[in-house]
Amino acid sequence: MIDIALTFAMGGFAAGLLLTMARILRAPTMADRVLALDTMVVNVIALIVLYGIQNDSDLAFDIAVLFALTGFVSTVALAKFLLRGNIIE
Amino acid sequence: MTDILITLLLIIGAVFGLIGSFGLWKLRQPMQRLHAPTKASTVGVGAVLLASAVHKGTQGQPSWEELLVLIFLFITAPVSALFLAKVHLHKDHAPQDLPQPEGSEWATYKNPDEPR
């Protein structure tokens, strides 16, 4: 039962990744692309955790933590750059 | 019993994650689009991480790392949303186009060097 649910969840988040990719390709402004990339990071974290459940892997959570950290920092850095034209003033 | 719980959490997470990304594609205005991914980053990933924590517990090796990722996402999601909203306000809107708040002004348009 868990296997079917895992496949379903992976399919759902993979479809979400495709939708965010489409939004990145067809976005009116740069801020929309940054938002879509942020959502993409969230989807990838979920996919990594699902992979960890499927293979009983402890490594997946360290990767998920790293992905969450870099995703947040890059989103804030891009938003700051769009706002001020500079990241560290 | 725990199998049913894990399955339910996984399905809830998948549905909410898909709704979040679909909303990002479907909604028309940039400010509306800020609303959609909050579903994916709270309930979507949250349910998946809880399912993982329960699964680890049934394997006889409970861990708190999932909750660490969860708390980090819950703290950082509003911060990045605030920054993106500020980008929208400053790049795509002029202050005179926005509704005026009663008895004050938009704090984000204030000159930071000016004394309050």
Side-chain angles (χ1 to χ4, degrees):
Chain A
M1 196 159 65
I2 293 178
D3 290 339
I4 302 170
L6 269 176
T7 314
F8 177 75
M10 278 183 169
F13 280 105
L17 266 182
L18 284 178
L19 285 166
T20 51
M21 190 73 217
R23 177 48 77 193
I24 289 172
L25 290 176
R26 302 187 50 157
T29 62
M30 202 61 199
D32 279 314
R33 290 199 177 88
V34 180
L35 179 63
L37 277 171
D38 195 44
T39 314
M40 199 177 230
V41 166
V42 167
N43 282 338
V44 168
I45 292 169
L47 275 177
I48 291 170
V49 173
L50 288 171
Y51 175 85
I53 299 177
Q54 197 174 38
N55 294 337
D56 286 333
S57 148
D58 285 336
L59 197 61
F61 297 103
D62 303 332
I63 305 172
V65 173
L66 276 176
F67 227 92
L69 282 166
T70 50
F72 170 66
V73 171
S74 56
T75 304
V76 170
L78 272 171
K80 187 83 182 162
F81 179 72
L82 289 176
L83 263 180
R84 308 282 294 175
N86 203 348
I87 295 169
I88 302 170
E89 296 178 53
Chain B
M1 188 60 209
T2 49
D3 280 11
I4 297 172
L5 182 64
I6 294 171
T7 310
L8 266 179
L9 283 171
L10 282 177
I11 289 173
I12 289 172
V15 168
F16 271 86
L18 188 57
I19 287 173
S21 301
F22 181 70
L24 189 75
W25 170 248
K26 183 74 181 167
L27 293 175
R28 290 283 160 233
Q29 300 292 321
M31 277 300 203
Q32 291 175 341
R33 251 174 253 141
L34 274 177
H35 161 77
T38 53
K39 255 65 70 195
S41 65
T42 54
V43 185
V45 174
V48 170
L49 286 164
L50 280 180
S52 172
V54 175
H55 181 73
K56 278 270 182 70
T58 60
Q59 303 285 311
Q61 40 174 353
S63 75
W64 298 100
E65 292 176 31
E66 292 85 358
L67 292 179
L68 206 66
V69 182
L70 194 60
I71 292 168
F72 184 79
L73 276 179
F74 279 14
I75 291 172
T76 57
V79 178
S80 49
L82 171 76
F83 268 94
L84 289 170
K86 277 185 126 178
V87 172
H88 279 304
L89 279 177
H90 281 266
K91 292 283 168 185
D92 305 333
H93 297 277
Q96 56 268 22
D97 297 340
L98 296 168
Q100 198 64 30
E102 272 179 45
S104 68
E105 55 182 329
W106 286 80
T108 184
Y109 289 123
K110 273 186 185 166
N111 182 3
D113 300 328
E114 188 180 291
R116 313 250 149 130

mmCIF file of all heavy atoms in Angstrom, chain B residues 36-76:
data_model
loop_
_atom_site.group_PDB
_atom_site.id
_atom_site.type_symbol
_atom_site.label_atom_id
_atom_site.label_comp_id
_atom_site.label_asym_id
_atom_site.label_seq_id
_atom_site.Cartn_x
_atom_site.Cartn_y
_atom_site.Cartn_z
ATOM 1 N N ALA B 36 -0.336 30.765 -4.211
ATOM 2 C CA ALA B 36 -0.437 29.335 -4.516
ATOM 3 C C ALA B 36 0.640 28.477 -3.835
ATOM 4 O O ALA B 36 0.305 27.485 -3.194
ATOM 5 C CB ALA B 36 -0.443 29.125 -6.023
ATOM 6 N N PRO B 37 1.938 28.803 -3.950
ATOM 7 C CA PRO B 37 2.958 27.866 -3.446
ATOM 8 C C PRO B 37 2.978 27.715 -1.932
ATOM 9 O O PRO B 37 3.682 26.841 -1.432
ATOM 10 C CB PRO B 37 4.270 28.463 -3.939
ATOM 11 C CG PRO B 37 3.897 29.400 -4.990
ATOM 12 C CD PRO B 37 2.573 29.928 -4.614
ATOM 13 N N THR B 38 2.210 28.558 -1.196
ATOM 14 C CA THR B 38 2.180 28.368 0.253
ATOM 15 C C THR B 38 1.604 27.003 0.606
ATOM 16 O O THR B 38 2.015 26.396 1.598
ATOM 17 C CB THR B 38 1.337 29.471 0.906
ATOM 18 O OG1 THR B 38 0.066 29.496 0.275
ATOM 19 C CG2 THR B 38 1.993 30.796 0.771
ATOM 20 N N LYS B 39 0.654 26.525 -0.223
ATOM 21 C CA LYS B 39 0.094 25.188 0.003
ATOM 22 C C LYS B 39 1.174 24.126 -0.145
ATOM 23 O O LYS B 39 1.300 23.232 0.709
ATOM 24 C CB LYS B 39 -1.018 24.932 -1.023
ATOM 25 C CG LYS B 39 -2.397 25.011 -0.522
ATOM 26 C CD LYS B 39 -2.780 26.373 -0.058
ATOM 27 C CE LYS B 39 -2.918 27.371 -1.167
ATOM 28 N NZ LYS B 39 -2.934 28.732 -0.625
ATOM 29 N N ALA B 40 1.953 24.227 -1.197
ATOM 30 C CA ALA B 40 2.984 23.213 -1.448
ATOM 31 C C ALA B 40 4.039 23.220 -0.352
ATOM 32 O O ALA B 40 4.522 22.174 0.060
ATOM 33 C CB ALA B 40 3.625 23.452 -2.809
ATOM 34 N N SER B 41 4.380 24.427 0.153
ATOM 35 C CA SER B 41 5.517 24.478 1.075
ATOM 36 C C SER B 41 5.098 24.251 2.518
ATOM 37 O O SER B 41 5.961 24.070 3.366
ATOM 38 C CB SER B 41 6.252 25.809 0.950
ATOM 39 O OG SER B 41 5.428 26.853 1.368
ATOM 40 N N THR B 42 3.799 24.295 2.857
ATOM 41 C CA THR B 42 3.409 23.968 4.229
ATOM 42 C C THR B 42 2.802 22.573 4.312
ATOM 43 O O THR B 42 3.435 21.642 4.813
ATOM 44 C CB THR B 42 2.436 25.018 4.784
ATOM 45 O OG1 THR B 42 1.339 25.136 3.893
ATOM 46 C CG2 THR B 42 3.099 26.339 4.939
ATOM 47 N N VAL B 43 1.586 22.415 3.803
ATOM 48 C CA VAL B 43 0.905 21.120 3.962
ATOM 49 C C VAL B 43 1.552 20.056 3.078
ATOM 50 O O VAL B 43 1.734 18.914 3.503
ATOM 51 C CB VAL B 43 -0.595 21.258 3.627
ATOM 52 C CG1 VAL B 43 -1.309 19.957 3.904
ATOM 53 C CG2 VAL B 43 -1.205 22.360 4.448
ATOM 54 N N GLY B 44 1.934 20.429 1.851
ATOM 55 C CA GLY B 44 2.484 19.434 0.925
ATOM 56 C C GLY B 44 3.732 18.776 1.465
ATOM 57 O O GLY B 44 3.758 17.566 1.737
ATOM 58 N N VAL B 45 4.793 19.584 1.637
ATOM 59 C CA VAL B 45 6.044 19.026 2.131
ATOM 60 C C VAL B 45 5.903 18.578 3.579
ATOM 61 O O VAL B 45 6.501 17.578 3.991
ATOM 62 C CB VAL B 45 7.173 20.062 1.965
ATOM 63 C CG1 VAL B 45 8.443 19.573 2.586
ATOM 64 C CG2 VAL B 45 7.394 20.340 0.509
ATOM 65 N N GLY B 46 5.065 19.299 4.368
ATOM 66 C CA GLY B 46 4.883 18.927 5.761
ATOM 67 C C GLY B 46 4.332 17.528 5.913
ATOM 68 O O GLY B 46 4.839 16.738 6.725
ATOM 69 N N ALA B 47 3.304 17.184 5.116
ATOM 70 C CA ALA B 47 2.723 15.842 5.217
ATOM 71 C C ALA B 47 3.727 14.789 4.789
ATOM 72 O O ALA B 47 3.832 13.716 5.407
ATOM 73 C CB ALA B 47 1.460 15.769 4.365
ATOM 74 N N VAL B 48 4.506 15.073 3.729
ATOM 75 C CA VAL B 48 5.503 14.089 3.270
ATOM 76 C C VAL B 48 6.576 13.862 4.332
ATOM 77 O O VAL B 48 6.978 12.728 4.607
ATOM 78 C CB VAL B 48 6.121 14.567 1.935
ATOM 79 C CG1 VAL B 48 7.315 13.715 1.579
ATOM 80 C CG2 VAL B 48 5.103 14.503 0.833
ATOM 81 N N LEU B 49 7.023 14.973 4.973
ATOM 82 C CA LEU B 49 8.055 14.831 6.005
ATOM 83 C C LEU B 49 7.526 14.092 7.225
ATOM 84 O O LEU B 49 8.238 13.271 7.823
ATOM 85 C CB LEU B 49 8.577 16.213 6.404
ATOM 86 C CG LEU B 49 9.493 16.874 5.385
ATOM 87 C CD1 LEU B 49 9.625 18.342 5.669
ATOM 88 C CD2 LEU B 49 10.859 16.235 5.414
ATOM 89 N N LEU B 50 6.245 14.345 7.592
ATOM 90 C CA LEU B 50 5.667 13.609 8.711
ATOM 91 C C LEU B 50 5.543 12.127 8.370
ATOM 92 O O LEU B 50 5.813 11.259 9.223
ATOM 93 C CB LEU B 50 4.300 14.192 9.060
ATOM 94 C CG LEU B 50 4.309 15.460 9.908
ATOM 95 C CD1 LEU B 50 2.893 15.926 10.165
ATOM 96 C CD2 LEU B 50 5.005 15.208 11.219
ATOM 97 N N ALA B 51 5.145 11.832 7.116
ATOM 98 C CA ALA B 51 5.075 10.435 6.693
ATOM 99 C C ALA B 51 6.437 9.777 6.816
ATOM 100 O O ALA B 51 6.561 8.623 7.277
ATOM 101 C CB ALA B 51 4.567 10.353 5.254
ATOM 102 N N SER B 52 7.479 10.505 6.437
ATOM 103 C CA SER B 52 8.828 9.954 6.544
ATOM 104 C C SER B 52 9.209 9.711 8.005
ATOM 105 O O SER B 52 9.820 8.683 8.336
ATOM 106 C CB SER B 52 9.804 10.917 5.879
ATOM 107 O OG SER B 52 11.111 10.509 6.124
ATOM 108 N N ALA B 53 8.820 10.651 8.894
ATOM 109 C CA ALA B 53 9.146 10.482 10.316
ATOM 110 C C ALA B 53 8.435 9.255 10.881
ATOM 111 O O ALA B 53 9.041 8.453 11.611
ATOM 112 C CB ALA B 53 8.751 11.742 11.088
ATOM 113 N N VAL B 54 7.151 9.080 10.518
ATOM 114 C CA VAL B 54 6.406 7.913 11.004
ATOM 115 C C VAL B 54 7.019 6.630 10.456
ATOM 116 O O VAL B 54 7.163 5.630 11.168
ATOM 117 C CB VAL B 54 4.919 8.042 10.604
ATOM 118 C CG1 VAL B 54 4.150 6.781 10.990
ATOM 119 C CG2 VAL B 54 4.289 9.233 11.286
ATOM 120 N N HIS B 55 7.415 6.670 9.185
ATOM 121 C CA HIS B 55 8.027 5.486 8.565
ATOM 122 C C HIS B 55 9.322 5.095 9.265
ATOM 123 O O HIS B 55 9.570 3.921 9.546
ATOM 124 C CB HIS B 55 8.277 5.774 7.088
ATOM 125 C CG HIS B 55 8.876 4.625 6.341
ATOM 126 N ND1 HIS B 55 8.144 3.506 6.025
ATOM 127 C CD2 HIS B 55 10.113 4.405 5.868
ATOM 128 C CE1 HIS B 55 8.914 2.647 5.393
ATOM 129 N NE2 HIS B 55 10.118 3.167 5.273
ATOM 130 N N LYS B 56 10.147 6.123 9.561
ATOM 131 C CA LYS B 56 11.380 5.853 10.311
ATOM 132 C C LYS B 56 11.073 5.256 11.669
ATOM 133 O O LYS B 56 11.785 4.371 12.163
ATOM 134 C CB LYS B 56 12.165 7.150 10.495
ATOM 135 C CG LYS B 56 13.007 7.547 9.304
ATOM 136 C CD LYS B 56 14.386 6.935 9.434
ATOM 137 C CE LYS B 56 15.273 7.354 8.288
ATOM 138 N NZ LYS B 56 15.628 8.775 8.377
ATOM 139 N N GLY B 57 9.970 5.752 12.320
ATOM 140 C CA GLY B 57 9.600 5.225 13.618
ATOM 141 C C GLY B 57 9.221 3.747 13.551
ATOM 142 O O GLY B 57 9.587 2.963 14.433
ATOM 143 N N THR B 58 8.506 3.343 12.477
ATOM 144 C CA THR B 58 8.131 1.930 12.354
ATOM 145 C C THR B 58 9.342 1.054 12.060
ATOM 146 O O THR B 58 9.330 -0.141 12.354
ATOM 147 C CB THR B 58 7.101 1.738 11.238
ATOM 148 O OG1 THR B 58 7.678 2.190 10.008
ATOM 149 C CG2 THR B 58 5.839 2.507 11.515
ATOM 150 N N GLN B 59 10.399 1.633 11.479
ATOM 151 C CA GLN B 59 11.610 0.852 11.206
ATOM 152 C C GLN B 59 12.465 0.674 12.462
ATOM 153 O O GLN B 59 13.503 0.025 12.410
ATOM 154 C CB GLN B 59 12.475 1.544 10.137
ATOM 155 C CG GLN B 59 11.774 1.798 8.825
ATOM 156 C CD GLN B 59 11.627 0.538 8.012
ATOM 157 O OE1 GLN B 59 12.577 -0.192 7.837
ATOM 158 N NE2 GLN B 59 10.418 0.279 7.537
ATOM 159 N N GLY B 60 12.043 1.280 13.573
ATOM 160 C CA GLY B 60 12.785 1.129 14.809
ATOM 161 C C GLY B 60 13.941 2.094 14.968
ATOM 162 O O GLY B 60 14.785 1.909 15.827
ATOM 163 N N GLN B 61 13.994 3.124 14.117
ATOM 164 C CA GLN B 61 15.048 4.136 14.274
ATOM 165 C C GLN B 61 14.441 5.529 14.120
ATOM 166 O O GLN B 61 14.654 6.179 13.104
ATOM 167 C CB GLN B 61 16.167 3.908 13.272
ATOM 168 C CG GLN B 61 15.681 3.508 11.901
ATOM 169 C CD GLN B 61 16.807 3.422 10.908
ATOM 170 O OE1 GLN B 61 17.910 3.789 11.222
ATOM 171 N NE2 GLN B 61 16.507 2.941 9.718
ATOM 172 N N PRO B 62 13.667 5.978 15.145
ATOM 173 C CA PRO B 62 13.046 7.294 15.032
ATOM 174 C C PRO B 62 14.083 8.406 14.958
ATOM 175 O O PRO B 62 15.145 8.317 15.581
ATOM 176 C CB PRO B 62 12.211 7.402 16.309
ATOM 177 C CG PRO B 62 12.829 6.449 17.246
ATOM 178 C CD PRO B 62 13.371 5.340 16.419
ATOM 179 N N SER B 63 13.781 9.447 14.184
ATOM 180 C CA SER B 63 14.729 10.560 14.049
ATOM 181 C C SER B 63 13.963 11.873 14.002
ATOM 182 O O SER B 63 12.785 11.913 13.657
ATOM 183 C CB SER B 63 15.556 10.401 12.777
ATOM 184 O OG SER B 63 14.773 10.723 11.662
ATOM 185 N N TRP B 64 14.642 12.940 14.363
ATOM 186 C CA TRP B 64 14.023 14.267 14.404
ATOM 187 C C TRP B 64 14.465 15.138 13.234
ATOM 188 O O TRP B 64 14.144 16.307 13.194
ATOM 189 C CB TRP B 64 14.386 14.948 15.723
ATOM 190 C CG TRP B 64 13.872 14.198 16.895
ATOM 191 C CD1 TRP B 64 14.581 13.357 17.696
ATOM 192 C CD2 TRP B 64 12.540 14.169 17.392
ATOM 193 N NE1 TRP B 64 13.769 12.819 18.651
ATOM 194 C CE2 TRP B 64 12.516 13.297 18.495
ATOM 195 C CE3 TRP B 64 11.350 14.801 16.999
ATOM 196 C CZ2 TRP B 64 11.349 13.036 19.209
ATOM 197 C CZ3 TRP B 64 10.201 14.541 17.726
ATOM 198 C CH2 TRP B 64 10.207 13.671 18.809
ATOM 199 N N GLU B 65 15.224 14.573 12.304
ATOM 200 C CA GLU B 65 15.739 15.415 11.221
ATOM 201 C C GLU B 65 14.628 15.938 10.329
ATOM 202 O O GLU B 65 14.706 17.054 9.815
ATOM 203 C CB GLU B 65 16.737 14.624 10.382
ATOM 204 C CG GLU B 65 18.012 14.309 11.126
ATOM 205 C CD GLU B 65 18.931 13.455 10.294
ATOM 206 O OE1 GLU B 65 18.898 13.602 9.070
ATOM 207 O OE2 GLU B 65 19.667 12.642 10.877
ATOM 208 N N GLU B 66 13.554 15.123 10.157
ATOM 209 C CA GLU B 66 12.438 15.557 9.322
ATOM 210 C C GLU B 66 11.804 16.821 9.887
ATOM 211 O O GLU B 66 11.486 17.753 9.150
ATOM 212 C CB GLU B 66 11.384 14.465 9.229
ATOM 213 C CG GLU B 66 11.825 13.244 8.460
ATOM 214 C CD GLU B 66 12.568 12.275 9.325
ATOM 215 O OE1 GLU B 66 12.768 12.577 10.511
ATOM 216 O OE2 GLU B 66 12.955 11.214 8.810
ATOM 217 N N LEU B 67 11.641 16.822 11.236
ATOM 218 C CA LEU B 67 11.038 18.001 11.858
ATOM 219 C C LEU B 67 11.941 19.216 11.700
ATOM 220 O O LEU B 67 11.457 20.347 11.596
ATOM 221 C CB LEU B 67 10.773 17.733 13.337
ATOM 222 C CG LEU B 67 9.684 16.692 13.576
ATOM 223 C CD1 LEU B 67 9.484 16.457 15.056
ATOM 224 C CD2 LEU B 67 8.377 17.143 12.961
ATOM 225 N N LEU B 68 13.254 18.980 11.652
ATOM 226 C CA LEU B 68 14.196 20.089 11.424
ATOM 227 C C LEU B 68 13.932 20.743 10.066
ATOM 228 O O LEU B 68 13.828 21.972 9.952
ATOM 229 C CB LEU B 68 15.611 19.531 11.487
ATOM 230 C CG LEU B 68 16.745 20.466 11.870
ATOM 231 C CD1 LEU B 68 16.561 20.905 13.298
ATOM 232 C CD2 LEU B 68 18.069 19.761 11.696
ATOM 233 N N VAL B 69 13.824 19.912 9.010
ATOM 234 C CA VAL B 69 13.528 20.446 7.677
ATOM 235 C C VAL B 69 12.194 21.176 7.689
ATOM 236 O O VAL B 69 12.041 22.275 7.117
ATOM 237 C CB VAL B 69 13.512 19.311 6.634
ATOM 238 C CG1 VAL B 69 13.262 19.861 5.255
ATOM 239 C CG2 VAL B 69 14.788 18.530 6.666
ATOM 240 N N LEU B 70 11.200 20.569 8.374
ATOM 241 C CA LEU B 70 9.855 21.141 8.425
ATOM 242 C C LEU B 70 9.869 22.519 9.067
ATOM 243 O O LEU B 70 9.334 23.489 8.519
ATOM 244 C CB LEU B 70 8.970 20.187 9.226
ATOM 245 C CG LEU B 70 7.471 20.387 9.151
ATOM 246 C CD1 LEU B 70 7.027 20.231 7.722
ATOM 247 C CD2 LEU B 70 6.784 19.377 10.027
ATOM 248 N N ILE B 71 10.529 22.632 10.242
ATOM 249 C CA ILE B 71 10.572 23.918 10.951
ATOM 250 C C ILE B 71 11.307 24.948 10.109
ATOM 251 O O ILE B 71 10.898 26.102 10.000
ATOM 252 C CB ILE B 71 11.244 23.737 12.331
ATOM 253 C CG1 ILE B 71 10.339 22.897 13.237
ATOM 254 C CG2 ILE B 71 11.522 25.062 12.978
ATOM 255 C CD1 ILE B 71 11.017 22.430 14.491
ATOM 256 N N PHE B 72 12.409 24.517 9.463
ATOM 257 C CA PHE B 72 13.167 25.457 8.633
ATOM 258 C C PHE B 72 12.298 25.995 7.497
ATOM 259 O O PHE B 72 12.279 27.206 7.229
ATOM 260 C CB PHE B 72 14.404 24.754 8.076
ATOM 261 C CG PHE B 72 15.283 25.667 7.283
ATOM 262 C CD1 PHE B 72 16.146 26.537 7.927
ATOM 263 C CD2 PHE B 72 15.231 25.686 5.909
ATOM 264 C CE1 PHE B 72 16.938 27.390 7.205
ATOM 265 C CE2 PHE B 72 16.021 26.543 5.188
ATOM 266 C CZ PHE B 72 16.875 27.391 5.837
ATOM 267 N N LEU B 73 11.542 25.097 6.833
ATOM 268 C CA LEU B 73 10.681 25.546 5.734
ATOM 269 C C LEU B 73 9.594 26.484 6.243
ATOM 270 O O LEU B 73 9.286 27.497 5.596
ATOM 271 C CB LEU B 73 10.038 24.343 5.057
ATOM 272 C CG LEU B 73 10.878 23.655 3.993
ATOM 273 C CD1 LEU B 73 10.127 22.474 3.444
ATOM 274 C CD2 LEU B 73 11.173 24.614 2.871
ATOM 275 N N PHE B 74 9.017 26.173 7.412
ATOM 276 C CA PHE B 74 7.946 27.014 7.946
ATOM 277 C C PHE B 74 8.467 28.400 8.304
ATOM 278 O O PHE B 74 7.747 29.380 8.210
ATOM 279 C CB PHE B 74 7.330 26.365 9.188
ATOM 280 C CG PHE B 74 6.320 25.300 8.868
ATOM 281 C CD1 PHE B 74 6.227 24.775 7.598
ATOM 282 C CD2 PHE B 74 5.455 24.838 9.827
ATOM 283 C CE1 PHE B 74 5.310 23.800 7.297
ATOM 284 C CE2 PHE B 74 4.528 23.862 9.529
ATOM 285 C CZ PHE B 74 4.447 23.336 8.272
ATOM 286 N N ILE B 75 9.719 28.474 8.753
ATOM 287 C CA ILE B 75 10.264 29.781 9.114
ATOM 288 C C ILE B 75 10.639 30.577 7.859
ATOM 289 O O ILE B 75 10.388 31.776 7.766
ATOM 290 C CB ILE B 75 11.496 29.613 10.030
ATOM 291 C CG1 ILE B 75 11.054 29.076 11.390
ATOM 292 C CG2 ILE B 75 12.198 30.933 10.241
ATOM 293 C CD1 ILE B 75 12.202 28.699 12.278
ATOM 294 N N THR B 76 11.244 29.917 6.868
ATOM 295 C CA THR B 76 11.792 30.672 5.746
ATOM 296 C C THR B 76 10.769 31.001 4.668
ATOM 297 O O THR B 76 10.964 31.965 3.931
ATOM 298 C CB THR B 76 12.939 29.895 5.092
ATOM 299 O OG1 THR B 76 12.452 28.623 4.691
ATOM 300 C CG2 THR B 76 14.092 29.745 6.032
#
